[in-house]
Amino acid sequence: MIELHGIRKSYQSGAQTLEVLKGIDCTINKGELVAIMGSSGSGKSTLLNVLGLLDDFDGGSYHLDGNDMGGLGEKQAARYRSEFLGFVFQSFNLIGYKTALENAALPLYYQGVSRKERQKQALHYLTKVGIADWAEHLPNQMSGGQKQRVAIARALIANPRVILADEPTGALDSVTSDEVMGLLKEINREGITIVVVTHENEIAAQCDRIIRLKDGRIENPQAQHHV
Amino acid sequence: MNKRQGNIRWRPDWDGFLELVQVLVQRPLRTALSGLGVGWGLFMIIITIGSANGLQNGVSQDLGDRAKNSMFMWTQSTSKAYKGFQRGRPIELTIGDVEYLAANSQTLDAVAPQNQLGGWRGSNNVTRGIKTGAFTVFGEFPAQLKIEARPLRSGRHINDRDIEENRKIAVIGERVREILFTSDENPIGGSVRINGVNFTVVGVFGSLRSGEDAEEDLQSIRIPFTAFNQAFHRGDDVGWLCLLFNESVHADSAAAEVMSILKSRLSIHPDDDRAFGHWTVAKEFEEIQTVFSAIRGVSFVFGGLALLAGIIGIMNIMLITVRERTNELGVRRALGATPGVIIRQIMGETLLLTVLFGLVGAILGVASIEAIDALLESMPAMDGGSFRNPEVSIEIVVQSLAIMIAMGAIAGVLPAFRAVSIRPVEAIRTE
């Protein structure tokens, strides 16, 4: 599903060039639940941004479901994000003035789906993540766990091939974290590839495989399919 | 799985509109404040243009009954010595001079000499039994009516037979009738005493002018020129001339021709500009038109500046909004919004804001103008002075709205491109 070869990425900060990703080779198969771990500054968030087409890369190649993601324009990137990818963020990133239902439905708006169909789909996915009763509530009326469930429903609604989760439990207590991870595993069992960036071992342990990053390189390239 | 692919496009539909409305409604105070500038700008444009039109209507009405190709001319004193005459010689016109002028002029359609008795704040000069009044009495020719129209209320105007036979008849203004006659009396055939001479009333007239001018007209009495000079011992003297020149001739050239004829007859230096005074309606009209186009221009400029300030205000607010919503816009990008979609969203918000409040300003402006108009109409007793029927044409309103929409579009460009210049990754990181 995801094939990375020699991905490099650097940032220009003043006169210095900061190399964040120094050649990442990695393959993630369809249906896998993979954790990316690493200390802060290891490049894991940058890698996730590259995977999510939120940021471009300087060298190497990236194939997503067989499509070359090199040198995409903003418009194409937006299209791939819309159709291939779902995002779950640490800080939820729900839109504050939209209800849970409207938040979950938003990706379909950008695909030109009719309002009625969007609402139907959104309600379906809110039900799936167990939060249908809160459909008409605004984000600030909900707990962190509830907000993350809305975000997961939003990530699922466009029927993506890959869900990218950036510290999905980072803002949650341990009980809620387990619930959210349980939900992600359930989604994974239905066949959707999931990549979780985390620094928590308990979370990473629940995944099929752990990719450890250190100083912009994969620390354990041999660690394939250790579960 | 790719079946939705072809649908990635923005449709200017109800759905997109709701999306814009939701954003504006979530911050009602900010929306109202930023809209206020634009609304105020349009309001000002409409109020100033409406008022300028009101002023113009008022002034035009003050001139209203005078034929545009009419000229008034009076004598003064010479300012140049000529043919043995010293400078400072007072010039006087006689009926003979007027007849000579009428016979020799190529441009004049009508010549109407006038004489006057009494006048503004004069003493009581007209009596009827025990009733008395102070009125302006004019001796004039029937041609006078070609120059200043006067509506007849009853009876008749002065005619040529009256002039030829020196008839002692009078046509009186409505106010004169009210003062000298009781309301159930028929003034026609009644007798009034003007400076001790009896005249028979043959008609009553009204006025086409308004305010004080109308009041002046209605307090006047018109008698035949010949009878006037005979009764009040004026001989052949002429007070001043009311002239009607051919419409194909410019006021200036008509005046020049008349002057040169009279100057040569009366032995006045051809370059003496002081011997005669004159006033033409056309000239006055031209000047007024110039003044009013200037006023309209100025009001458009000032209203435009107010509008510009409003637009800049909206742009400013939108820039702040974009910065504040960096995270939201980043999330939208992550969820599949293309740069084009974001641009349209910000442009749409700016335009919606502009149009919405622009319309409110325009409606309030037109409503205020209408209210002032209705107020002036409802108080006919109150003299609006030179202010009448303030109005704005639909073209002005439509033009202003069009300018405003164009400016709103311009105002949206910078914030929209600022919004898409934010990379989605930076946007999400902001939190």
Side-chain angles (χ1 to χ4, degrees):
Chain A
M1 177 61 67
I2 292 174
E3 278 179 73
L4 301 179
H5 290 292
I7 292 287
R8 282 191 311 281
K9 170 78 186 171
S10 57
Y11 292 107
Q12 205 73 31
S13 100
Q16 283 180 308
T17 302
L18 190 66
E19 221 177 351
V20 184
L21 298 178
K22 301 170 180 169
I24 303 284
D25 295 296
C26 148
T27 302
I28 295 169
N29 296 315
K30 190 172 190 302
E32 268 195 299
L33 174 56
V34 176
I36 298 177
M37 288 196 78
S39 56
S40 68
S42 62
K44 61 184 194 300
S45 288
T46 305
L47 180 58
L48 194 79
N49 288 336
V50 169
L51 290 177
L53 304 176
L54 297 173
D55 211 346
D56 51 12
F57 48 93
D58 304 332
S61 71
Y62 169 20
H63 284 83
L64 177 60
D65 201 22
N67 302 289
D68 188 0
M69 296 290 124
L72 291 181
E74 270 301 332
K75 203 171 169 181
Q76 293 160 296
R79 206 189 88 198
Y80 281 120
R81 283 198 292 269
S82 169
E83 295 189 1
F84 284 47
L85 301 170
F87 291 90
V88 177
F89 303 97
Q90 175 176 9
S91 50
F92 322 124
N93 277 330
L94 299 179
I95 292 174
Y97 55 87
K98 287 183 178 289
T99 63
L101 191 77
E102 289 168 329
N103 265 291
L106 198 55
L108 295 185
Y109 172 71
Y110 292 120
Q111 294 190 355
V113 177
S114 78
R115 186 172 199 83
K116 211 172 162 187
E117 178 64 17
R118 292 204 305 267
Q119 295 195 329
K120 197 179 125 197
Q121 291 282 331
L123 198 60
H124 170 75
Y125 282 100
L126 287 179
T127 309
K128 189 181 171 85
V129 298
I131 202 165
D133 292 345
W134 293 77
E136 296 306 323
H137 286 74
L138 292 173
N140 61 13
Q141 299 165 320
M142 295 192 236
S143 72
Q146 289 169 325
K147 284 191 237 186
Q148 200 58 298
R149 283 167 189 267
V150 175
I152 291 170
R154 181 177 68 183
L156 285 172
I157 197 164
N159 201 7
R161 296 164 206 201
V162 179
I163 284 181
L164 300 171
D166 187 8
E167 303 273 13
T169 60
L172 304 175
D173 62 57
S174 60
V175 176
T176 320
S177 292
D178 286 345
E179 286 172 11
V180 165
M181 272 314 286
L183 191 57
L184 288 176
K185 282 193 280 186
E186 197 184 311
I187 292 161
N188 177 245
R189 274 196 293 276
E190 288 170 18
I192 294 178
T193 311
I194 298 182
V195 179
V196 178
V197 167
T198 183
H199 63 271
E200 293 173 78
N201 285 317
E202 308 89 88
I203 300 298
Q206 298 182 51
C207 299
D208 302 338
R209 180 154 67 99
I210 302 174
I211 295 170
R212 290 182 195 278
L213 284 187
K214 192 176 182 185
D215 297 330
R217 291 182 212 281
I218 294 181
E219 208 178 13
N220 55 340
Q222 75 289 354
Q224 304 282 344
H225 303 283
H226 76 120
V227 174
Chain B
M1 202 146 184
N2 268 345
K3 62 181 178 292
R4 286 192 192 123
Q5 195 170 310
N7 292 332
I8 304 176
R9 65 196 155 99
W10 186 81
R11 293 162 299 169
D13 56 0
W14 184 237
D15 220 23
F17 183 72
L18 284 181
E19 188 73 20
L20 297 181
V21 169
Q22 192 178 34
V23 172
L24 296 184
V25 166
Q26 58 144 331
R27 287 194 178 87
L29 184 65
R30 166 170 300 180
T31 301
L33 285 178
S34 50
L36 197 65
V38 167
W40 180 249
L42 216 66
F43 180 79
M44 286 308 289
I45 282 192
I46 286 172
I47 288 284
T48 49
I49 289 179
S51 305
N53 284 341
L55 207 55
Q56 184 168 20
N57 288 344
V59 173
S60 301
Q61 186 147 4
D62 288 346
L63 293 173
D65 58 327
R66 308 257 181 220
K68 279 207 189 108
N69 51 335
S70 61
M71 171 162 50
F72 299 84
M73 207 173 140
W74 58 94
T75 56
Q76 296 170 168
S77 301
T78 57
S79 62
K80 284 188 163 82
Y82 191 58
K83 285 190 178 171
F85 291 107
Q86 302 240 317
R87 64 191 288 270
R89 171 172 61 112
I91 300 296
E92 265 156 35
L93 286 177
T94 63
I95 283 290
D97 300 328
V98 175
E99 280 164 1
Y100 177 82
L101 173 66
N104 287 282
S105 167
Q106 310 292 315
T107 61
L108 294 178
D109 285 350
V111 180
Q114 229 181 5
N115 273 332
Q116 183 186 345
L117 192 70
W120 191 67
R121 285 189 177 173
S123 57
N124 285 349
N125 54 359
V126 181
T127 58
R128 178 174 179 266
I130 54 163
K131 292 178 173 168
T132 66
F135 306 117
T136 317
V137 181
F138 292 99
E140 63 186 37
F141 283 84
Q144 190 72 31
L145 289 171
K146 290 184 189 167
I147 293 156
E148 40 175 333
R150 226 177 283 136
L152 198 60
R153 299 292 184 231
S154 64
R156 64 172 179 87
H157 285 304
I158 295 168
N159 61 30
D160 291 334
R161 290 280 298 276
D162 298 331
I163 298 288
E164 286 162 23
E165 299 175 9
N166 298 358
R167 285 181 182 165
K168 290 198 171 51
I169 54 109
V171 186
I172 61 175
E174 276 184 316
R175 183 84 187 117
V176 177
R177 194 204 72 88
E178 279 170 30
I179 292 170
L180 297 182
F181 294 84
T182 57
S183 58
D184 53 347
E185 265 179 312
N186 181 9
I188 309 297
S191 180
V192 294
R193 242 176 127 74
I194 303 171
N195 271 15
V197 181
N198 280 322
F199 286 81
T200 306
V201 176
V202 296
V204 179
F205 61 85
S207 176
L208 293 176
R209 300 200 284 179
S210 66
E212 277 179 32
D213 295 325
E215 202 65 21
E216 244 171 60
D217 287 348
L218 299 179
Q219 296 202 34
S220 70
I221 297 175
R222 314 284 166 155
I223 62 181
F225 188 88
T226 47
F228 183 101
N229 277 12
Q230 190 178 54
F232 307 124
H233 316 296
R234 294 288 177 90
D236 281 343
D237 287 355
V238 169
W240 64 84
L241 287 177
C242 303
L243 305 167
L244 196 68
F245 54 86
N246 198 293
E247 279 179 52
S248 61
V249 181
H250 191 268
D252 287 336
S253 52
E257 194 221 20
V258 169
M259 304 284 190
S260 80
I261 292 172
L262 288 177
K263 278 174 185 171
S264 75
R265 180 173 164 91
L266 298 172
S267 302
I268 300 167
H269 192 286
D271 295 335
D272 194 338
D273 294 333
R274 301 270 182 84
F276 297 100
H278 78 286
W279 183 87
T280 58
V281 173
K283 206 67 178 152
E284 194 78 354
F285 211 77
E286 273 172 27
E287 274 165 29
I288 288 169
Q289 288 297 335
T290 312
V291 168
F292 278 107
S293 29
I295 289 179
R296 256 199 304 274
V298 166
S299 36
F300 225 93
V301 166
F302 276 92
L305 284 178
L307 200 57
L308 188 69
I311 295 290
I312 291 174
I314 283 206
M315 183 166 79
N316 207 9
I317 292 274
M318 286 311 292
L319 283 173
I320 295 171
T321 303
V322 164
R323 170 158 295 188
E324 253 189 24
R325 284 163 59 196
T326 298
N327 176 254
E328 178 202 320
L329 294 170
V331 172
R332 286 177 183 268
R333 292 283 290 276
L335 298 181
T338 59
V341 168
I342 298 290
I343 287 178
R344 285 187 205 107
Q345 180 175 347
I346 301 296
M347 292 286 284
E349 283 175 28
T350 316
L351 270 179
L352 186 63
L353 210 63
T354 316
V355 171
L356 196 70
F357 285 90
L359 273 176
V360 170
I363 290 167
L364 286 181
V366 172
S368 306
I369 288 287
E370 290 294 319
I372 294 168
D373 199 12
L375 199 68
L376 288 178
E377 290 290 321
S378 71
M379 293 187 292
M382 200 187 88
D383 183 14
S386 291
F387 194 83
R388 185 163 297 269
N389 299 343
E391 61 190 6
V392 278
S393 61
I394 191 76
E395 288 88 31
I396 292 284
V397 175
V398 169
Q399 276 171 19
S400 308
L401 280 173
I403 291 173
M404 187 195 63
I405 290 170
M407 290 176 99
I410 294 167
V413 171
L414 190 60
F417 281 90
R418 180 74 55 88
V420 287
S421 72
I422 304 165
R423 292 187 58 79
V425 59
E426 292 162 27
I428 290 167
R429 203 184 282 151
T430 308
E431 186 94 343

